[in-house]
Amino acid sequence: MHALICSNLVVIIRDETRHVMIGLFASLPFSREKSADLLLRLISPTRHFHLLHSHPRFPFCCLHPSHTAFRVLHKATEVPAMSSINHQNVEEARLTGTGAELRAEDCIYLAAKSNQQVDYLERLTSGDQLGLVLPEGTAIYPANQMRIHAEDGGEFQLASFMESLNTSFLGNVLFYSPCLPSTHTFLSQNFHALPIGTVCIADSQRQGKGRAGNAWVSPKGCLMFSFTLQMNNGRILPFLQYVVTLAIVEAVEMVSFNKQMRAPDLRIKWPNDIYAKGMKIGGVLCTSTYNSSKFKIVIGIGLNVKNQEPTTCLDSLVHEFDSDANAFSREEILAAFLWKFESLYQVFLDQGFSALESTYYRYWLHR
């Protein structure tokens, strides 16, 4: 038997039965049921556990763990026996402290915009996982339980982004992680369980994807995200990547205008790259599968916003001609892109790419 200390809670893992005993070792001003619920939220906000029993005299729960939850639990500090645990030990061990601190790569945060999507979020974070495939060792947490994983303040500001988002469907459900293998892979594997327009963003990627199986270099400061779409008309599908690249350059221009500064000169290199001063600073990856008369599409985008390597970035470009210019933020670029793309996408669906062609060629790199 092992004990796991988390804040004023102790989790006892019974290996012989593979059940988990969660004991409350401090007096909480709640009923037994609410205390048990609090325990679940603190130890596994994704609620991978299912309540089997509540003791009438002592507020503890006997729970069956899922595989993911067991992995998360075993990452925390273990102590050899119950005899070494006292109130002082328990009080000093905090969720953000010794042994129980969650690593950035273990956390995926989920935010939702509309009432319908908030309901979806509540289902997903209350144990109804809807068949999601998660990277090994990770768990999903509501956005309001987001922690600070980076001391440099370089994490995506999820709350401010959701407040500024002004779209009808794009980004209404958003997954964010400080570190993922690949945002594109995450959405591709979970397309069946997610609303159309779901966005996934990461501060860094371990297995970023480019065209033709190439790896995408994914340093911090780069805006890296993917989102989902669904289309019926396969004849216009190849033009979709052109609409995406157009939305990127127009979004950067829009943000620059709002900040009252000169926009960097961005160009579209066929078929799906963004260039500036002869260097690639962004790219688009579109993949699709066909099922039930519909094309299920995942679009991945990488754009150098604050990272000067490996080529250059938006911040460097604007500071070349205005050293006092306000820096770009990934949050404002992403919000502008989703708004701009949603508008262009509707034109594209209604009128085809020909309605956007002249605008597209304004940013055409080739002559």
Side-chain angles (χ1 to χ4, degrees), residues 208-225:
K209 296 186 179 300
R211 289 182 66 244
N214 294 325
W216 177 267
V217 179
S218 306
K220 288 189 175 182
C222 180
L223 174 60
M224 297 166 286
F225 68 99

Side-chain angles (χ1 to χ4, degrees), residues 106-117:
D106 294 335
C107 301
I108 300 175
Y109 298 101
L110 175 58
K113 189 79 172 176
S114 68
N115 292 335
Q116 180 182 4
Q117 308 304 353

Side-chain angles (χ1 to χ4, degrees), residues 25-91:
F25 279 78
S27 299
L28 295 179
F30 305 124
S31 66
R32 182 168 62 250
E33 291 74 16
K34 189 167 184 179
S35 296
D37 180 71
L38 177 61
L39 286 163
L40 295 181
R41 288 178 178 273
L42 286 174
I43 294 187
S44 179
T46 55
R47 288 185 172 180
H48 286 285
F49 303 101
H50 302 286
L51 181 62
L52 299 180
H53 177 65
S54 182
H55 195 278
R57 295 182 55 195
F58 189 75
F60 75 89
C61 307
C62 181
L63 307 154
H64 266 296
S66 72
H67 186 53
T68 299
F70 236 81
R71 281 199 304 269
V72 173
L73 286 172
H74 278 293
K75 286 176 182 175
T77 301
E78 293 181 342
V79 294
M82 284 292 296
S83 59
S84 64
I85 300 174
N86 57 44
H87 286 284
Q88 184 177 357
N89 298 140
V90 172
E91 236 359 86

Side-chain angles (χ1 to χ4, degrees), residues 146-286:
M146 184 171 167
R147 301 183 182 191
I148 298 175
H149 297 277
E151 296 180 357
D152 59 6
E155 293 182 329
F156 189 79
Q157 301 301 305
L158 188 54
S160 62
F161 166 77
M162 294 303 290
E163 289 178 1
S164 64
L165 185 63
N166 185 27
T167 57
S168 62
F169 76 100
L170 284 177
N172 279 346
V173 169
L174 185 141
F175 292 88
Y176 158 70
S177 177
C179 183
L180 275 180
S182 164
T183 61
H184 202 91
T185 299
F186 178 82
L187 292 184
S188 297
Q189 292 178 335
N190 294 297
F191 193 102
H192 65 284
L194 302 174
I196 301 301
T198 296
V199 172
C200 180
I201 181 170
D203 292 329
S204 63
Q205 298 180 117
R206 301 189 294 276
Q207 301 168 17
K209 296 186 179 300
R211 289 182 66 244
N214 294 325
W216 177 267
V217 179
S218 306
K220 288 189 175 182
C222 180
L223 174 60
M224 297 166 286
F225 68 99
S226 301
F227 63 99
T228 62
L229 289 177
Q230 187 167 272
M231 291 176 58
N232 299 323
N233 188 352
R235 291 177 297 178
I236 64 172
L237 182 58
F239 296 94
L240 180 61
Q241 59 189 336
Y242 307 154
V243 183
V244 177
T245 55
L246 176 59
I248 292 173
V249 295
E250 289 202 337
V252 173
E253 285 193 349
M254 183 173 73
V255 172
S256 301
F257 178 82
N258 291 339
K259 297 167 79 72
Q260 298 183 336
M261 64 186 191
R262 178 179 166 185
D265 184 22
L266 302 185
R267 296 290 167 177
I268 299 171
K269 181 179 181 296
W270 188 90
N272 54 8
D273 289 333
I274 307 298
Y275 268 62
K277 300 184 67 175
M279 294 179 286
K280 179 177 177 178
I281 68 165
V284 175
L285 173 65
C286 294

